[in-house]
Amino acid sequence: MAESFSAPFVRGIDANRTLKDELTAGVRSQSARRRISVTDLVNPRQAFFRWTRPEIQPSPERIQMMMSGTGFHNLFGQAISTEEFVEQFVEFEGIVGKIDIYEDVPVELKTTSTLPDAPGAARPSYIDQLGMYCTMTGRGSGRLFIYRREYFGRTPEFRAFRVEFRDIEPIKSEMVRRRDLFQQALETKDPERLPRCEWFERNCDYLQFCGCADAELGTRMIPATVFQIERDTAVETALAGRMNNTPGRSGGFRLNDLVFPRKAAYEHQQTDEEEVKDETFETRLRDIEREGFRGQLYKAVRFGIPGAFKNMPVKLRSLTGRVGTYKDVPTLLRSTRVTKFIDRDRLPEERPWYFDRLAFECALLGSDRGRLVLYYETMPDDKFMVYDVGFKDLPAVLAEADRRLTLLETGADPHLLPACPPWMSKMCNFKDRCGCGDVA
Ligand code: SF4
Ligand code: SF4
């Protein structure tokens, strides 16, 4: 069993039935209201199958591609902006969206394998997405950053564009029209009236069900007459400077680096040739489309009661992160594939990584109470539990966070840091060097 740092600091764990019922109601209303996202509206036909055929999962290659973009999004966001402005959730007319960076105007960040030189070559879907975010925030312009990944020795490259929208009213109307069309398709379980996607038939996971050969192409969300796009070389130069002055992976730390510090220490020792993968569960949850009950639960926490969920920035020297709070209590959403409920008193020993993370989050926010929403994904009937967790001696928890971070920041021998849970070593690139589990 994995070593638990936080178990001695747990004052008590209570199952919170009131909140569980509240979230269950929230899940029901989420399902009824079908909260539609900006991404759904870009290619609604493909989104229809994503919603209605959750059993069809993207191929491993596609997941890998999505994840590589995700890692870059995180690093780039950290490099050019601050926690306060990255990943901003917005809502408009029952449509939700997540803006990559939103300081003065929305910024949409795209990772691609090809880079447009001429502004007109930017994919229409990029403009659609940015235009919708500008509409949702009432801004007449936004920025589009396109990054071409390094590939077989080809150097990575970056382009910045400024996009002005002449009139956001037609965009508003088209968003609402598509929302209604999409909602109707979900209700009738029939995608017939949804237009064909932009990338028609290319490697689509839903090709065999779609019948898109007969589907009409549909109108553009944002016609060419409504926007103007210009390359912004001044911003490219300024950002290149900021990126170069920002320490890479070795300069900044995340909340999970406190929970799995030894692995973080190895990652920070890596040479450029070694691959860095961001494989935190949060990243997966955040960036792969959420489906099924887990998705509804996530949305119920996030959007169920307006204003109840907040994403609070936290910082400890070089560590930056965000803590999700529900009704001002740090709240962690996790899922497990175990087939029986875990006895609540044994949870801190059986799942120490949940509790270590929650303890650090609570210590950083100065809250002596945290909350764990645990979804038992393999159990029938969508079982989940809400646990209220009381912590004691938060200064000692904070001192341990500080100790781990100091060791990480000073490049200490990874063996001075606690080992990760044994299950992690199977997939760990560092297991040969580390001897996982030998040292606590
Ligand atoms: S098969 Fe074509 S139209 Fe159908 S969902 Fe896939 S990309 Fe869209
Ligand atoms: S081998 Fe185990 S302890 Fe070592 S870094 Fe990997 S997962 Fe962590």
Side-chain angles (χ1 to χ4, degrees), residues 101-297:
I101 301 165
Y102 179 27
E103 291 187 40
D104 52 343
V105 294
V107 174
E108 180 61 17
L109 183 56
K110 293 292 179 198
T111 319
T112 66
S113 52
T114 54
L115 198 62
D117 271 316
R123 278 197 206 168
S125 62
Y126 298 172
I127 304 292
D128 287 357
Q129 216 167 331
L130 183 62
M132 283 192 268
Y133 291 140
C134 287
T135 304
M136 294 167 94
T137 53
R139 306 283 155 166
S141 68
R143 292 199 184 90
L144 176 64
F145 295 163
I146 304 180
Y147 172 79
R148 189 186 66 185
R149 282 186 290 270
E150 191 170 7
Y151 188 64
F152 285 121
R154 190 182 61 188
T155 51
E157 270 195 78
F158 168 73
R159 296 273 184 279
F161 298 98
R162 181 170 182 83
V163 188
E164 301 276 347
F165 297 94
R166 293 188 185 97
D167 186 2
I168 57 174
E169 287 309 314
I171 307 176
K172 254 185 212 170
S173 314
E174 181 60 13
M175 285 174 77
V176 170
R177 190 187 75 82
R178 287 194 187 196
R179 178 202 65 191
D180 293 344
L181 208 60
F182 186 63
Q183 184 115 35
Q184 197 181 30
L186 290 172
E187 278 161 17
T188 57
K189 300 188 173 51
D190 183 0
E192 199 191 347
R193 294 183 60 212
L194 298 175
R196 226 162 55 189
C197 309
E198 181 191 331
W199 61 84
F200 175 59
E201 288 190 15
R202 281 208 341 247
N203 304 323
C204 177
D205 297 316
Y206 309 109
L207 187 57
Q208 52 177 313
F209 313 100
C210 180
C212 52
D214 302 325
E216 60 178 80
L217 197 51
T219 50
R220 285 246 48 85
M221 162 74 80
I222 301 179
T225 50
V226 172
F227 72 93
Q228 190 179 346
I229 177 167
E230 275 175 14
R231 188 164 162 195
D232 195 334
T233 47
V235 166
E236 284 172 16
T237 312
L239 291 183
R242 263 154 96 173
M243 297 275 285
N244 291 338
N245 290 334
T246 305
R249 179 70 183 87
S250 60
F253 293 91
R254 305 164 300 191
L255 276 166
N256 256 9
D257 292 340
L258 295 179
V259 183
F260 309 117
R262 192 183 297 185
K263 188 156 190 195
Y266 278 117
E267 282 175 356
H268 281 249
Q269 282 182 352
Q270 285 195 132
T271 61
D272 288 346
E273 292 81 47
E274 291 174 304
E275 189 185 10
V276 179
K277 279 193 193 134
D278 189 342
E279 52 193 19
T280 61
F281 186 52
E282 292 65 39
T283 312
R284 283 174 187 276
L285 265 182
R286 208 172 48 214
D287 288 290
I288 293 180
E289 201 65 38
R290 297 163 176 84
E291 301 300 343
F293 184 81
R294 186 171 55 177
Q296 298 300 341
L297 186 57

Side-chain angles (χ1 to χ4, degrees), residues 35 148 202 375 391:
R35 215 168 260 269
R148 189 186 66 185
R202 281 208 341 247
Y375 172 43
F391 287 105

Side-chain angles (χ1 to χ4, degrees), residues 24-89:
T24 305
V27 167
R28 288 202 190 106
S29 79
Q30 290 298 318
S31 315
R33 272 192 292 155
R34 294 282 195 190
R35 215 168 260 269
I36 291 166
S37 74
V38 162
T39 337
D40 293 330
L41 300 186
V42 174
N43 284 302
R45 199 171 176 102
Q46 203 236 14
F48 172 85
F49 292 108
R50 213 165 47 226
W51 278 64
T52 55
R53 306 296 299 250
E55 74 281 8
I56 301 171
Q57 291 295 314
S59 63
E61 294 75 30
R62 199 191 292 271
I63 289 182
Q64 197 177 10
M65 212 179 78
M66 290 155 83
M67 294 308 293
S68 63
T70 299
F72 171 72
H73 268 57
N74 293 344
L75 291 177
F76 189 87
Q78 284 164 16
I80 67 160
S81 189
T82 61
E83 276 297 307
E84 193 183 349
F85 299 117
V86 297
E87 295 193 335
Q88 302 287 294
F89 280 83

Side-chain angles (χ1 to χ4, degrees), residues 323 330 357-371 389 391 394:
V323 173
R357 168 83 184 225
L358 197 56
F360 289 133
E361 288 191 353
C362 286
L364 286 165
L365 275 185
S367 168
D368 63 0
R369 194 156 60 100
R371 189 172 282 139
V389 185
F391 287 105
L394 286 184

